[in-house]
Amino acid sequence: MRRWPYGLAAVVTGVLLSSQGRVNGQLGAQLQDGVLAALISTGFGWIVLVASVVLTPAGRRGAGRVVEALRKRELRWWQCLGGFVGAYMIFTQGVTITALGVAVFTVATVSGQLVSSLLVDRAGLGPAGPQPITVWRLLGAAIAAGAVVLALQGQFDKPENVWLFVLPAIAGFGLAWQTAMNGQIREASGNAVVAAMVNFGVSMVLLIVASVVDVLIRGWPANFPDEWWIYTGGAFGIFVIGISTITVRAIGVLLLSLCVVAGQLIGAVLLDVFVPARDAHLTSTEVLGAVITLVAVAVAAVRTSERMTA
């Protein structure tokens, strides 16, 4: 199997993920409520996905196969909970991106994602089965960790931003597990749209509960943005989850994560250069951190790809 098309698709997924972050960040900033922004974004995507599954024969068959796999315990109930990570990820986008910028947010996410990808692949949680932890994989993760420290240099004069960095780092740590779980659902259903619907549905449950508590404590937002595009973050999420569930079996969790990371960094730098966030400005150290992270991706991805094609 030629794997480079899957890698390229994963890079595109990363660019979409950066774009989703910017859109959700803007919505959260204007509402001044990251939880409600996450619910709106996820709800939009979930409605589209449910309609796609219900209205198509392939979607209905795929949903039926998931129910059957759960009944036979071929698919465990906890393998359907990847959406919890998605909910938290969208929440962190709404809370932190306008302060950190897309580039720093992305590097923070990467720091957790690369480490967890090693562990998830080694445990064989993804549909591709167990993947060994090699010297090259460890080297790639170590280089990326150094890039994280470098990218944070420009944030040390804002202690509150350094603290905000922790939130997306935790989200990134969960992304590899989420990808593996969504890949298992796709494997059971034979349908990427069904896998995405399950992911969004689980996210919705968590976000509805969190939003009810949030509104009771803080009240309803005074104003909602007029721009239509600011509500479309969920559409990006559909493509992100859909492409990831298709590609994870072909290239494994770590290589998928690395390619997504490459796309995230490219998209993040371009967004911060051409469409800068209100409170964040791209610095030379952040750009250098992104470039070094791309080097880390190349180190781990090339050696991983060579092992898989051997």
Side-chain angles (χ1 to χ4, degrees), residues 78-296:
W78 53 266
Q79 292 177 311
C80 297
L81 301 182
F84 284 168
V85 176
Y88 177 72
M89 179 72 174
I90 296 174
F91 165 73
T92 60
Q93 290 172 344
V95 170
T96 65
I97 277 187
T98 54
L100 295 176
V102 181
V104 176
F105 176 90
T106 301
V107 173
T109 304
V110 169
S111 66
Q113 192 173 359
L114 288 179
V115 174
S116 62
S117 295
L118 288 170
L119 301 176
V120 168
D121 262 350
R122 182 66 185 87
L125 296 178
Q131 308 288 326
I133 298 178
T134 65
V135 172
W136 287 101
R137 288 183 170 204
L138 288 172
L139 179 60
I143 293 172
V148 167
V149 175
L150 182 63
L152 268 180
Q153 294 298 311
Q155 301 291 333
F156 285 139
D157 59 338
K158 302 175 182 176
E160 68 278 7
N161 284 7
V162 176
W163 168 246
L164 286 176
F165 186 92
V166 175
L167 297 178
I170 294 172
F173 191 86
L175 278 178
W177 180 78
Q178 179 193 28
T179 300
M181 295 305 99
N182 289 339
Q184 294 286 12
I185 298 171
R186 198 266 178 184
E187 194 74 6
S189 66
N191 191 299
V193 177
V194 171
M197 182 193 72
V198 173
N199 181 87
F200 272 63
V202 172
S203 295
M204 281 287 292
V205 172
L206 182 61
L207 288 171
I208 287 172
V209 174
S211 295
V212 169
V213 175
D214 179 65
V215 170
L216 289 174
I217 294 173
R218 302 180 55 187
W220 198 252
N223 296 297
F224 283 81
D226 295 326
E227 303 94 331
W228 64 270
W229 57 266
I230 208 168
Y231 299 98
T232 61
F236 290 98
I238 291 173
F239 288 104
V240 168
I241 298 298
I243 296 173
S244 296
T245 56
I246 293 171
T247 56
V248 67
R249 179 171 179 79
I251 61 179
V253 176
L254 178 65
L255 187 53
L256 170 63
S257 297
L258 293 172
C259 291
V260 169
V261 163
Q264 282 180 273
L265 291 166
I266 292 169
V269 171
L270 291 176
L271 283 168
D272 277 350
V273 168
F274 295 106
V275 194
R278 183 184 58 194
D279 299 326
H281 303 283
L282 191 66
T283 66
S284 58
T285 55
E286 291 167 7
V287 173
L288 184 56
V291 172
I292 293 175
T293 306
L294 283 174
V295 172

Side-chain angles (χ1 to χ4, degrees), residues 31 33 36 45 52 60 68 72 102 151 156 180 208 210 219-220 225 285 310:
L31 290 177
D33 192 326
L36 194 58
S52 299
R60 293 193 295 271
E68 184 68 11
K72 294 180 177 179
V102 181
F156 285 139
I208 287 172
W220 198 252
T285 55

